[in-house]
């Protein structure tokens, strides 16, 4: 089952707890928070794409998918050729200047192995970051909308109520 | 893995939400933090960036490891290492000498919101053993107006309800308070959920459009320190439109008639002229607030830190009384202390007019009870307050100051004057974890253990008493603050009064001396990580909601004391045409003693900037990123400009974690002696070249 980190930008307050948590785990933050002039903010990390371009271009197969669907990098294989960084539409893999190999989000593989949540998700004080299967996350969100609609439906004509809102 | 890896539960050392987490320790060395998703605790495992980075400063190379004695000029920061024995001996000698020569009132002590209740308790006891009530802490500069104002109206200043109640509030008012930056976990886990999931209406009062105000349905942007005009106008609307809870007021409050007469003239139209907020918006806010059914009204330093702070707190609190929003579920009222033990320190009797338990100094019965338990007399004469200590030093009345875990040389208003005082004092001792700005003036510096390096109890802003456990060894010869104080007390000949061998001993004495804390025993707090909400008179009791039966005033009724308008201490004029105010960064804390030394934080929030409204900037020819000179009657700073629509015209704002307090005035609130830290009149100009 493929699990990912989902971002609810409505809830993000740009506190950067996610960045700091990632930095504490990995030495370098692999998630970044972007702030916009209108006060919205979005935390942004690797999407762990279904068809990951980084994986496809890696000449030495240093990138692969693990059981949870995370695109992880094998540091022993990586030759630091930067192809993955170029191919990634989001510019996620970054060179680790010291070791001359790439560095990217692995959905905190070591934490998942211990049954823990990714560090950024654990920290996020507003729950703007959610970790899970897309169907579960979507259902949690849609479920709420459905419940609301039902609630309105009990009281009055659904469509009318919805339009008035 | 690792042979000796341990997870130890601690309370967060920064703000006052009371978040818990683990320190993972390997053979006494703190390795990392881990989130606590195992226990039913207030933060539900969540942490803000300060919490996540909370162990970074612990092993910073600047940590003080040995006692130091000054060799250079005051303020220069030149010291030589000495032994503990020498240091304690010299301090005891000097304090005794000064007491002998000038009397006990020449001595003063500063306690700390960053230290445990046990440590603050021991410090005030030591001051009193030495014969002085000159004992204070920074509450004077952040919460004292709230304590005074709510004290007068309700009889108690504490947060009234548990966090969960905010999820049921229909309207939330955040007044001079930006929790998205100052208390992110409280904001995310409670306030934001109430708004986004439970459709609570949010009213924000703040001159800046903050991350909190982003969620507001109604945002009032007054000139700094004119909030009182808005509160009075809201009272006017609530009373003249008869929106108040008549039964509640009749039964549980007194003074409505007087109040109504007083606020008659304070119409929204009048308030618009004073505060710059449209009358219609004030009216709308008042109606929304009064008709909601349940309301949470939280205030903070935007209200408190003004020369009219106590009056504003009173007026705001009276709004809550009028609408009957007390003693129920789904409501909340309170001011939010800055640091993790801001509330606890105050309760310990760290106050020039207060006994442990926050009883007034003249409460004879309590005084006698405490004296009997201690075995010595508490001095009669009330002490002097924090800011007044500076004047007393300059006038030569105060000769020695003992500072525990706090940084007045950066926290005080009008810093140039404060620096003069620290240069001229006869004897200064600072005990802290780093060589702070204040410590640079000290004669003797004592290395203290950091929060994670000792057992100790803190009280969060929810009135929750929580135990934090020793999770790492202190570096070098650093010692817990209470241990240092006990050493000093023994050297001074007070050994019999300070017979403690661990923090538990002290807490047990606190249990006996302070009745509302009788039930917060070491055993209970160790067993129960969630802690208990004070008052907890016995081991099975706690009080989640205040004022369910009555208020804590002498007759149990809320006192609707009429409040007249008073301007803030300094307002713009032709020479200094801008209102200057300050704010905080989520990643920094107070004077930066710890946060400026946390790599992950200082990297993300590296420098200060001054926010200027885009129209003002255009008029003055200032572009985003330009250097501007900000000047008040006391000092000038050069800061980078951030041109933004998110601050109202005529107001500029800079964060206070750096040198902001060189600019501020030291006018005081008449009731609480709070200095006006939140506003000053300033002029700004572009730095050319
Ligand atoms: S999942 Fe882990 S590695 Fe990826 S961004 Fe979050 S904290 Fe960083
Ligand atoms: S921790 Fe959460 S709220 Fe804070 S910046 Fe990251 S995503 Fe946003
Ligand atoms: S919200 Fe406050 S108590 Fe919680 S982690 Fe952040 S600083 Fe610590």
């Amino acid at each position: 089952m493929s699990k990912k980190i989902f971002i609810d930008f409505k809830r993000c307050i740009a506190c950067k707890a996610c960045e700091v948590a990632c930095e504490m785990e990995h030495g370098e933050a692999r998630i970044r928070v972007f702030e916009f002039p209108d006060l919205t903010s979005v935390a942004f990390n690797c999407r762990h794409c279904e068809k990951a371009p980084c994986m496809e271009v890696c000449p030495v197969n240093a990138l692969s998918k693990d059981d949870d669907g995370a695109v992880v990098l094998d540091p022993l294989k990586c030759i630091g050729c930067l192809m993955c960084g170029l191919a990634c539409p989001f510019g996620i893999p970054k060179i680790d200047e010291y070791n001359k190999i790439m560095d990217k989000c692995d959905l905190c593989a070591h934490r998942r192995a211990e049954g823990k949540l990714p560090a950024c998700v654990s920290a996020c004080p507003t729950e703007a970051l959610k970790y899970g299967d897309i169907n579960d996350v979507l259902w949690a969100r849609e479920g709420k909308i459905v419940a609301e609609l039902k609630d309105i439906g009990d009281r009055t004509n659904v469509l009318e109520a919805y339009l008035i809102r | 893995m690792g042979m000796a890896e341990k997870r130890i539960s601690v309370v967060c050392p920064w703000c006052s939400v009371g978040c818990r987490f683990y320190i993972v320790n390997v053979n006494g060395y703190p390795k990392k933090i881990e989130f606590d998703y195992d226990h039913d605790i207030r933060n539900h495992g969540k942490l803000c960036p300060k919490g996540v980075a909370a162990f970074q400063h612990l092993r910073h190379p600047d940590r003080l490891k040995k006692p130091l004695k000054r060799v250079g000029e005051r303020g220069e920061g030149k010291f030589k290492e000495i032994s503990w024995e020498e240091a304690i001996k010299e301090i005891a000698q000097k304090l005794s000498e000064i007491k002998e020569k000038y009397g006990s009132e020449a001595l003063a002590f500063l306690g700390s919101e960053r230290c445990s209740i046990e440590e603050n308790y021991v410090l005030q006891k030591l001051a009193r053993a030495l014969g002085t009530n000159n004992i204070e802490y920074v509450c004077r500069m952040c919460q004292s107006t709230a304590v005074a104002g709510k004290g007068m109206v309700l009889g108690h200043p504490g947060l009234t309800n548990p966090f969960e109640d905010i999820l049921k509030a229909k309207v939330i008012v955040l007044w001079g308070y930006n929790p998205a930056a100052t208390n992110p976990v409280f904001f995310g886990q409670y306030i934001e959920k109430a708004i986004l999931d439970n459709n609570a209406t949010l009213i924000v009062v703040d001159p800046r459009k903050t991350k909190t105000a982003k969620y507001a349905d109604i945002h009032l942007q007054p000139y700094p320190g004119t909030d009182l005009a808005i509160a009075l106008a809201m009272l006017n609307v609530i009373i003249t439109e008869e929106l108040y809870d008549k039964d509640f007021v009749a039964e549980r409050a007194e003074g409505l008639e007087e109040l109504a007469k007083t606020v008659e003239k304070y119409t929204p139209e009048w308030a618009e002229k004073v505060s710059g907020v449209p009358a219609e918006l004030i009216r709308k806010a008042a109606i929304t607030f009064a008709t909601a059914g349940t309301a949470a009204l939280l205030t903070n330093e935007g209200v408190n830190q003004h020369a009219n702070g106590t009056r504003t707190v009173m007026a705001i609190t009276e709004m809550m009384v009028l609408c009957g929003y007390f003693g129920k579920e789904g409501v909340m009222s309170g001011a939010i202390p800055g640091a993790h033990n801001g509330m606890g320190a105050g309760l310990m009797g760290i106050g020039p007019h207060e006994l442990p338990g926050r009883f007034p100094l003249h409460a004879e019965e309590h005084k006698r009870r405490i004296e009997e338990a201690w075995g010595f007399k508490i001095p009669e004469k009330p002490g002097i307050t924090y800011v007044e200590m500076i004047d007393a030093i300059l006038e030569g009345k105060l000769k020695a100051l003992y500072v525990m875990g706090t940084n007045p040389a950066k926290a005080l208003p009008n810093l140039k004057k404060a620096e003069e005082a620290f240069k001229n004092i006869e004897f200064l001792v600072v005990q802290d974890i780093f060589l702070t700005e204040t410590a640079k003036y000290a004669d003797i510096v004592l290395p203290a253990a950091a929060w994670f390096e000792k057992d100790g109890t803190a009280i969060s802003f929810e009135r929750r008493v929580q135990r934090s456990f020793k999770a790492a060894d202190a570096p070098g010869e650093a010692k817990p603050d209470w241990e240092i104080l006990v050493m000093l007390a023994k050297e001074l000949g007070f050994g019999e009064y300070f017979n403690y061998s661990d923090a538990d001993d002290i807490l047990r004495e606190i249990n006996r001396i302070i009745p509302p804390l009788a039930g917060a025993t070491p055993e209970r707090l160790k067993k129960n990580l969630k802690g208990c909400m004070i008052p907890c008179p016995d081991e099975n009791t706690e009080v989640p909601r205040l004022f369910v039966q009555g208020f804590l005033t002498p007759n149990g009724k809320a006192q609707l004391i009429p409040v007249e308008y008073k301007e803030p201490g300094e307002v713009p004029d032709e020479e200094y045409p801008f209102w200057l105010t300050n704010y905080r960064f989520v990643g920094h804390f107070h004077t930066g003693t710890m946060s400026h030394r946390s790599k992950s934080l200082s990297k993300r929030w590296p420098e200060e900037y001054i926010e200027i409204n885009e129209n003002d900037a255009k008029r003055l020819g200032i572009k985003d990123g330009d250097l501007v000179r900000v000047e008040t009657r006391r000092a000038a700073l050069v800061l980078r400009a951030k041109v933004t629509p998110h601050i109202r015209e005529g107001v500029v704002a800079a964060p206070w974690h750096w040198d902001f307090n060189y600019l501020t005035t030291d006018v005081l609130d008449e009731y609480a002696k709070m200095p006006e830290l939140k506003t000053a009149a300033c002029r700004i100009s572009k730095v050319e070249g």
Side-chain angles (χ1 to χ4, degrees):
Chain A
M1 194 55 80
S2 159
K3 289 186 173 174
K4 286 191 169 56
I5 293 173
F6 296 92
I7 299 168
D8 182 349
F9 73 90
K10 261 206 329 283
R11 287 175 195 263
C12 178
I13 52 172
C15 73
K16 304 193 185 182
C18 49
E19 283 189 14
V20 176
C22 186
E23 190 163 296
M24 301 304 259
E25 286 291 333
H26 308 284
E28 203 62 62
R30 298 160 169 179
I31 184 165
R32 269 192 70 194
V33 181
F34 292 89
E35 293 182 69
F36 299 96
D38 67 347
L39 290 184
T40 48
S41 49
V42 181
F44 190 72
N45 70 333
C46 171
R47 300 313 309 143
H48 298 276
C49 308
E50 290 301 326
K51 268 183 70 186
C54 57
M55 246 171 84
E56 295 190 357
V57 297
C58 178
V60 292
N61 291 328
L63 289 155
S64 62
K65 281 213 167 189
D66 72 11
D67 292 345
D68 286 332
V71 177
V72 298
L73 176 105
D74 182 344
L76 294 177
K77 286 189 186 160
C78 177
I79 56 172
C81 73
L82 300 173
M83 280 305 283
C84 53
L86 280 177
C88 173
F90 308 108
I92 294 291
K94 290 260 155 36
I95 187 89
D96 162 354
E97 292 289 351
Y98 184 74
N99 294 306
K100 302 291 177 212
I101 57 170
M102 302 307 278
D103 184 53
K104 75 175 285 300
C105 167
D106 59 357
L107 286 180
C108 285
H110 64 296
R111 293 180 61 86
R112 283 184 286 126
E114 293 170 26
K116 294 178 195 151
L117 286 169
C120 54
V121 176
S122 301
C124 177
T126 64
E127 289 166 49
L129 302 178
K130 284 246 186 260
Y131 176 70
D133 175 69
I134 181 139
N135 293 313
D136 296 341
V137 174
L138 269 185
W139 175 246
R141 246 175 241 175
E142 264 168 24
K144 195 173 161 252
I145 296 171
V146 171
E148 267 175 26
L149 282 174
K150 266 200 187 146
D151 183 42
I152 297 162
D154 290 344
R155 280 182 276 129
T156 169
N157 176 295
V158 173
L159 190 61
E160 200 180 305
Y162 214 64
L163 284 177
I164 291 166
R165 296 179 99 202
Chain B
M1 262 259 304
M3 347 95 262
E5 190 169 295
K6 276 191 263 170
R7 288 197 316 177
I8 294 130
S9 179
V10 293
V11 172
C12 181
W14 309 96
C15 91
S16 59
V17 174
C19 298
R20 295 196 82 105
F21 52 90
Y22 298 111
I23 294 283
V24 180
N25 137 335
V26 180
N27 299 329
Y29 196 88
K31 195 173 124 200
K32 54 180 264 178
I33 68 123
E34 187 52 72
F35 305 89
D36 181 354
Y37 279 91
D38 312 333
H39 294 98
D40 171 24
I41 49 172
R42 311 314 287 150
N43 49 318
H44 307 139
K46 300 296 184 180
L47 296 175
C48 83
K50 293 194 290 295
V52 181
F55 92 106
Q56 266 184 348
H57 65 274
L58 274 195
R59 293 286 149 158
H60 192 283
D62 289 358
R63 277 296 298 277
L64 294 170
K65 299 186 186 74
K66 285 197 88 175
L68 303 175
K69 185 180 160 100
R70 184 166 55 78
V71 289
E73 291 295 306
R74 284 183 188 277
E76 211 179 25
K78 283 205 189 121
F79 297 91
K80 68 167 189 205
E81 291 183 349
I82 55 173
S83 71
W84 269 109
E85 216 188 350
E86 257 177 284
I88 294 292
K89 200 172 237 147
E90 178 154 348
I91 296 168
Q93 222 163 41
K94 204 72 195 160
L95 293 181
S96 307
E97 248 174 60
I98 289 174
K99 181 180 160 173
E100 192 74 8
K101 199 159 153 206
Y102 306 101
S104 300
E105 274 140 42
L107 309 175
F109 294 78
L110 291 178
S112 174
E113 71 295 352
R114 288 200 281 114
C115 296
S116 65
I117 60 171
E118 291 86 348
E119 289 162 336
N120 282 291
Y121 176 82
V122 174
L123 184 75
Q124 60 83 29
K125 189 172 169 184
L126 180 62
R128 275 138 186 171
L130 275 163
T132 182
N133 285 313
N134 289 337
I135 168 95
E136 262 283 46
Y137 81 118
V138 285
C139 176
R140 186 66 54 200
M141 296 200 278
C142 44
Q143 299 295 317
S144 61
T145 46
V147 172
K150 291 190 83 182
M152 281 191 264
V153 179
L154 308 173
H156 192 286
L159 187 82
T160 55
N161 291 53
F163 288 166
E164 279 75 15
D165 276 10
I166 209 164
L167 296 170
K168 299 175 199 142
K170 293 279 194 304
V171 63
I172 298 172
V173 186
L174 301 175
W175 198 315
Y177 176 33
N178 175 17
T182 53
N183 308 107
V185 172
F186 173 58
F187 184 78
Q189 292 301 300
Y190 301 95
I191 298 179
E192 201 187 42
K193 283 188 177 158
I195 299 164
L196 293 182
D197 300 339
N198 299 343
N199 294 322
T201 303
L202 178 66
I203 301 174
V204 167
V205 187
D206 194 320
R208 297 170 65 231
K209 186 165 179 202
T210 59
K211 291 271 159 27
T212 301
K214 178 175 110 174
Y215 297 84
D217 298 281
I218 302 174
H219 181 195
L220 314 180
Q221 292 184 273
Y223 294 120
T226 64
D227 309 54
L228 178 54
I230 297 191
L232 292 171
M234 285 175 76
L235 282 172
N236 171 296
V237 174
I238 293 168
I239 295 174
T240 53
E241 301 198 11
E242 297 197 22
L243 302 172
Y244 57 95
D245 183 335
K246 297 200 179 81
D247 296 340
F248 186 91
V249 173
E251 202 186 314
R252 299 198 45 189
E254 55 189 27
L256 176 63
E257 258 170 55
E258 281 275 321
L259 181 68
K261 232 186 289 153
T262 307
V263 299
E264 215 170 9
K265 55 187 176 290
Y266 298 126
T267 60
E269 285 68 26
W270 165 83
E272 173 171 343
K273 279 193 219 113
V274 176
S275 68
V277 178
E280 262 330 290
L281 215 51
I282 299 175
R283 192 164 271 121
K284 188 171 163 201
I287 295 170
T288 308
F289 171 76
T291 56
T294 50
L297 198 167
L298 301 173
T299 55
N300 210 350
E301 287 163 8
V303 170
N304 296 343
Q305 290 178 329
H306 289 288
N308 59 17
T310 303
R311 291 171 190 239
T312 312
V313 169
M314 287 167 74
I316 290 174
T317 309
E318 287 165 358
M319 282 168 47
M320 284 290 284
V321 175
L322 282 181
C323 298
Y325 293 149
F326 276 114
K328 296 176 185 159
E329 245 184 272
V331 307
M332 196 181 281
S333 156
I336 315 302
H340 71 305
N341 198 25
M343 186 168 175
L347 195 59
M348 290 307 110
I350 296 267
H353 312 102
E354 275 165 4
L355 299 167
R358 279 225 125 112
F359 301 112
L361 197 57
H362 56 255
E364 280 307 322
E365 190 191 320
H366 288 291
K367 192 168 165 180
R368 262 200 309 278
R369 182 175 60 80
I370 296 169
E371 283 175 343
E372 236 160 73
W374 283 356
F376 60 85
K377 286 256 173 244
I378 295 169
E380 294 285 331
K381 192 170 167 209
I384 47 176
T385 62
Y386 207 130
V387 186
E388 291 171 316
M389 284 180 184
I390 294 303
D391 291 318
I393 295 170
L394 290 170
E395 287 161 20
K397 287 186 199 145
L398 199 61
K399 301 288 184 187
L401 183 63
Y402 193 106
V403 179
M404 173 178 88
T406 193
N407 191 10
K410 212 166 170 198
L412 279 162
N414 194 1
L415 273 183
K416 264 195 193 152
K417 182 171 156 190
E419 286 176 353
E420 255 330 281
F422 290 125
K423 259 183 224 152
N424 287 306
I425 192 166
E426 194 169 318
F427 187 59
L428 178 66
V429 181
V430 173
Q431 102 188 16
D432 211 318
I433 61 176
F434 291 109
L435 196 70
T436 59
E437 284 76 4
T438 313
K440 289 197 178 133
Y441 293 94
D443 295 278
I444 305 277
V445 179
L446 301 174
W451 180 245
F452 297 142
E453 295 159 355
K454 58 196 179 189
D455 287 335
T457 309
I459 308 183
S460 76
F461 82 76
E462 200 191 16
R463 288 182 285 117
R464 190 171 291 279
V465 194
Q466 296 189 93
R467 219 14 155 35
S468 186
F469 302 98
K470 181 178 174 195
D473 293 337
E477 296 176 16
K479 292 182 196 302
D481 291 282
W482 68 264
E483 256 186 71
I484 302 174
L485 296 173
V486 168
M487 277 162 58
L488 178 60
K490 286 193 174 137
E491 185 67 32
L492 283 162
F494 300 133
E496 56 177 315
Y497 311 133
F498 293 84
N499 209 349
Y500 312 114
S501 47
D502 57 22
D504 286 4
D505 280 350
I506 308 170
L507 184 54
R508 283 194 196 97
E509 182 172 321
I510 293 171
N511 296 151
R512 288 196 301 274
I513 296 281
I514 303 178
L517 277 171
T521 61
E523 292 70 29
R524 180 185 193 174
L525 299 177
K526 283 177 198 172
K527 218 168 44 215
N528 176 9
L529 290 185
K530 195 176 178 180
C532 50
M533 288 175 79
I534 51 164
C536 29
D538 64 63
E539 277 213 79
N540 305 311
T541 321
E542 62 174 345
V543 181
R545 288 187 193 89
L546 292 181
F547 314 138
V548 176
Q549 305 295 339
F551 293 99
L552 294 174
T553 50
N555 67 3
K557 289 191 176 192
Q559 303 299 308
L560 299 172
I561 303 163
V563 184
E564 297 282 2
Y565 186 70
K566 183 182 174 230
E567 274 192 347
E570 193 177 79
V571 296
D573 53 23
E574 261 169 34
E575 233 183 310
Y576 295 91
F578 279 92
W579 300 81
L580 172 68
T581 190
N582 64 24
Y583 56 92
R584 308 186 204 194
F585 283 138
V586 59
H588 280 297
F589 190 69
H590 295 187
T591 66
T593 305
M594 302 187 296
S595 66
H596 288 336
R597 292 181 175 93
S598 296
K599 214 171 66 218
S600 299
L601 303 178
S602 50
K603 176 166 139 194
R604 288 182 170 76
W605 293 274
E607 59 166 11
E608 55 200 322
Y609 45 74
I610 183 150
E611 293 191 350
I612 303 174
N613 179 277
E614 44 197 12
N615 297 331
D616 289 331
K618 201 188 269 166
R619 228 166 12 84
L620 296 165
I622 294 166
K623 288 194 302 299
D624 198 66
D626 281 350
L627 285 177
V628 295
R629 188 181 154 84
V630 189
E631 195 177 356
T632 67
R633 288 193 170 80
R634 291 145 303 275
L637 294 179
V638 173
L639 303 172
R640 210 164 281 288
K642 181 172 176 171
V643 176
T644 167
H646 299 316
I647 188 158
R648 64 160 307 154
E649 272 185 74
V651 184
V652 292
W656 84 275
H657 317 287
W658 283 270
D659 289 333
F660 189 87
N661 279 343
Y662 283 101
L663 302 173
T664 44
T665 91
D666 48 6
V667 279
L668 301 181
D669 174 272
E670 75 233 80
Y671 301 94
K673 306 279 197 280
M674 164 86 77
E676 181 136 80
L677 288 155
K678 269 285 179 185
T679 190
C682 79
R683 59 184 173 219
I684 47 178
S685 55
K686 187 176 160 162
V687 176
E688 302 294 344

